[in-house]
Amino acid sequence: MHQSTTVLLIEVGALMFLLGLLGRLSRRFGISPIPLYLLAGLAFGHGGLLPLNASEEFFSVGAEIGVILLLVLLGLEYSADELVGNLRAAAPVGLLDAVLNALPGAAFALILGWGWVAAVVLAGVTWVTSSGVVAKVLADLGRLGNRETPVVLSVLVMEDLAMALYLPLLTALLAGTGLLGGGIALGIAVLAVTVVLVVAIRFGGWISKAISARDPEALLLGIFGLTLLVAGVAAQLKVSAAVGAFLVGIAVSGPVAHHATRLLSPLRDIFAAVFFLFFGLTTDPAHLPPVLLPAIGLAIATIATKILTGYVAARRAGIAVRGRWRAGLALTPRGEFSIVIAGLAVATPGINPELGALATAYVLITVVVGPIIARLPDFEWFKALLRPRPTVVAAVPVQATEAQGALTQHTPDATGQ
């Protein structure tokens, strides 16, 4: 066996074993394992305590697969009709989401004097919730069947579809191609999203029939292969791979969806852990302290705006107060899209290099804090705060009551008796 392959196996095996120990530790203390996975990545990534370089490419591919599997399993929970209905209902909320969460990032960049191009970049960084983190949090907390979960998913899908339009425009803006290049990129993105939606909704039944639910091996390979294929084609067309994977899950229905969920769940758990580990591996801790205070301020502001977004969306759907808070708190983490956007900007000449470090610190804060605060509605003290206060009725003095009774007894009626 080649020496590099041996080192790769050792690094991958050691890190995966560590993830298993951290996952068990998190379950024992009743917390999400996501922050622990991120801290492990920081410890063994660039600038960490013990940098491991041989396995970086493996974990890069594994992280992409992790996001794809998280989204396809979310899609398997819902039908095409539910998706269309939720998207129609969520259109006003999608606009509110963009205004509340993109404007703070843009304003922050302008205040720092980074220019309007950096403002457009940072607006995207603060706008989009991490679909991968939210999917993991919902699964860990057992909320996939909750009433507010379709509302959360509709917001995520609206954001992912918006990213399918935003990313080509941003790429054209950074490349300096002007309005013509941006318009062409936008047209391709709109066409690609439309085709994927039509195929998922109109021909979903045929896809389910083409994949047999009786043979677990064939079902696993078929769904897994189809998901990767569609996600790759979507990414090649400048549409989010996450959107492609989600729509594959929407397209599959019936017994096939049920069995596919059972078979893919272990794979999702493995590669989702790899996704969060890889995020930490690619972050150099030395770059974080100079931008930590601005990142904390930006995180506090946009966590609050994202909670408001989820709360309003759930209220429009008729969800109870506790469910509204669950929806808002679940939407707070930013992740994969934010890092992609910042990466595109940093690679462009003329963009302040601190933007990348700020985006990384910001995302890291929200990814660590988000899964923790998402658990707040499950605590008894939080439930007590949400309970309606009992109405206090002023007590009537006994003497006054007795006097009124006596007066009533001696007051003549209409006949004078």
Side-chain angles (χ1 to χ4, degrees):
M1 185 177 292
H2 198 274
Q3 181 66 25
S4 60
T5 304
T6 304
V7 175
L8 173 65
L9 291 176
I10 293 173
E11 289 189 3
V12 171
L15 287 174
M16 296 297 285
F17 182 71
L18 175 62
L19 292 179
L21 294 178
L22 293 176
R24 183 177 180 182
L25 181 66
S26 68
R27 297 297 188 276
R28 173 164 296 185
F29 289 97
I31 63 174
S32 172
I34 293 173
L36 299 182
Y37 295 159
L38 288 168
L39 292 176
L42 287 173
F44 296 102
H46 301 295
L49 300 175
L50 182 61
L52 302 177
N53 300 319
S55 55
E56 184 172 341
E57 185 175 354
F58 171 86
F59 283 113
S60 174
V61 177
E64 293 286 343
I65 295 175
V67 174
I68 289 169
L69 287 174
L70 283 166
L71 269 295
V72 71
L73 279 160
L74 274 181
L76 288 170
E77 296 286 334
Y78 302 95
S79 67
D81 293 335
E82 289 173 329
L83 171 66
V84 174
N86 286 330
L87 288 179
R88 287 174 179 170
V93 176
L95 179 60
L96 177 68
D97 180 29
V99 172
L100 287 179
N101 297 287
L103 287 183
F108 201 80
L110 292 175
I111 291 172
L112 293 176
W114 288 353
W116 66 274
V117 176
V120 174
V121 173
L122 202 55
V125 170
T126 59
W127 176 8
V128 187
T129 297
S130 170
S131 302
V133 177
V134 172
K136 178 65 174 171
V137 169
L138 293 177
D140 287 345
L141 299 180
R143 295 181 184 171
L144 291 178
N146 284 19
R147 283 195 61 208
E148 75 276 0
T149 298
V151 177
V152 173
L153 294 182
S154 65
V155 173
L156 294 178
V157 173
M158 288 289 291
E159 290 180 347
D160 284 348
L161 292 175
M163 284 298 102
L165 308 179
Y166 169 84
L167 287 175
L169 283 176
L170 177 64
T171 303
L173 182 64
L174 293 172
T177 56
L179 293 177
L180 179 61
I184 294 174
L186 179 60
I188 294 174
V190 171
L191 178 62
V193 170
T194 303
V195 169
V196 172
L197 279 172
V198 169
V199 170
I201 294 172
R202 293 287 182 87
F203 305 103
W206 294 4
I207 296 173
S208 298
K209 292 178 182 179
I211 302 174
S212 174
R214 298 180 180 179
D215 187 344
E217 181 180 353
L219 176 61
L220 176 61
L221 292 173
I223 294 292
F224 186 54
L226 179 64
T227 302
L228 294 180
L229 174 63
V230 173
V233 172
Q236 189 67 26
L237 295 174
K238 307 301 182 184
V239 181
S240 164
V243 170
F246 182 80
L247 293 176
V248 169
I250 290 290
V252 177
S253 59
V256 174
H258 173 74
H259 292 294
T261 300
R262 179 174 55 85
L263 292 172
L264 288 173
S265 292
L267 282 178
R268 174 200 61 191
D269 294 340
I270 292 174
F271 284 103
V274 169
F275 165 70
F276 299 113
L277 175 73
F278 178 73
F279 187 83
L281 287 173
T282 55
T283 301
D284 189 344
H287 293 164
L288 302 181
V291 296
L292 195 55
L293 287 179
I296 290 174
L298 187 60
I300 292 174
T302 53
I303 283 175
T305 55
K306 190 63 80 169
I307 291 174
L308 178 60
T309 301
Y311 189 95
V312 172
R315 186 178 64 179
R316 284 174 51 87
I319 308 298
V321 174
R322 189 171 160 226
R324 298 173 196 172
W325 280 101
R326 284 197 297 258
L329 292 167
L331 286 169
T332 55
R334 275 65 161 188
E336 58 275 10
F337 273 129
S338 300
I339 296 302
V340 169
I341 292 168
L344 289 173
V346 171
T348 303
I351 297 294
N352 194 312
E354 289 187 352
L355 191 150
L358 175 66
T360 300
Y362 167 78
V363 169
L364 192 61
I365 291 168
T366 61
V367 168
V368 171
V369 173
I372 295 174
I373 63 175
R375 301 179 62 90
L376 290 179
D378 297 333
F379 290 107
E380 290 299 327
W381 62 267
F382 195 90
K383 296 177 186 177
L385 290 175
L386 300 181
R387 292 192 188 102
R389 297 283 189 269
T391 305
V392 179
V393 180
V396 180
V398 176
Q399 294 84 353
T401 305
E402 292 176 349
Q404 291 174 359
L407 181 61
T408 303
Q409 291 177 359
H410 292 87
T411 300
D413 58 14
T415 61
Q417 297 176 351

